Amino acid sequence: MLKEKELIDWCWENLEFYNSPETWEDTYIVDILNGYRCLCKTKEGKTISFSQIRTMFEEED
């Protein structure tokens, strides 16, 4: 199971977004939640994959 709220909060605070989105729903966070495969950049300029982000917020059963 995925800790969605924590993932969304972390992404909103730590990832780089273009065009100054007003809400997280206007970003690729939606794609991360849907399991798409892609790369993005953190505010520090590091590249991270969507799957790495999802893994950080997976709950163990």
Side-chain angles (χ1 to χ4, degrees), residues 2-18:
L2 193 61
K3 296 186 271 183
E4 288 186 22
K5 170 114 175 70
E6 290 88 349
L7 182 149
I8 292 165
D9 291 343
W10 185 89
C11 289
W12 190 243
E13 294 294 321
N14 293 286
L15 298 180
E16 185 174 289
F17 301 103
Y18 300 101

Side-chain angles (χ1 to χ4, degrees), residues 36-54:
Y36 294 164
R37 298 177 190 258
C38 198
L39 299 173
C40 57
K41 291 222 182 245
T42 65
K43 290 183 179 178
E44 293 85 31
K46 297 179 182 178
T47 301
I48 188 168
S49 71
F50 287 8
S51 61
Q52 287 175 302
I53 295 168
R54 288 178 59 84

Side-chain angles (χ1 to χ4, degrees), residues 18-59:
Y18 300 101
N19 300 326
S20 301
E22 292 186 29
T23 69
W24 70 268
E25 289 98 344
D26 297 328
T27 70
Y28 54 82
I29 295 173
V30 174
D31 296 336
I32 295 170
L33 290 171
N34 287 325
Y36 294 164
R37 298 177 190 258
C38 198
L39 299 173
C40 57
K41 291 222 182 245
T42 65
K43 290 183 179 178
E44 293 85 31
K46 297 179 182 178
T47 301
I48 188 168
S49 71
F50 287 8
S51 61
Q52 287 175 302
I53 295 168
R54 288 178 59 84
T55 300
M56 293 189 313
F57 295 95
E58 288 178 350
E59 289 184 6

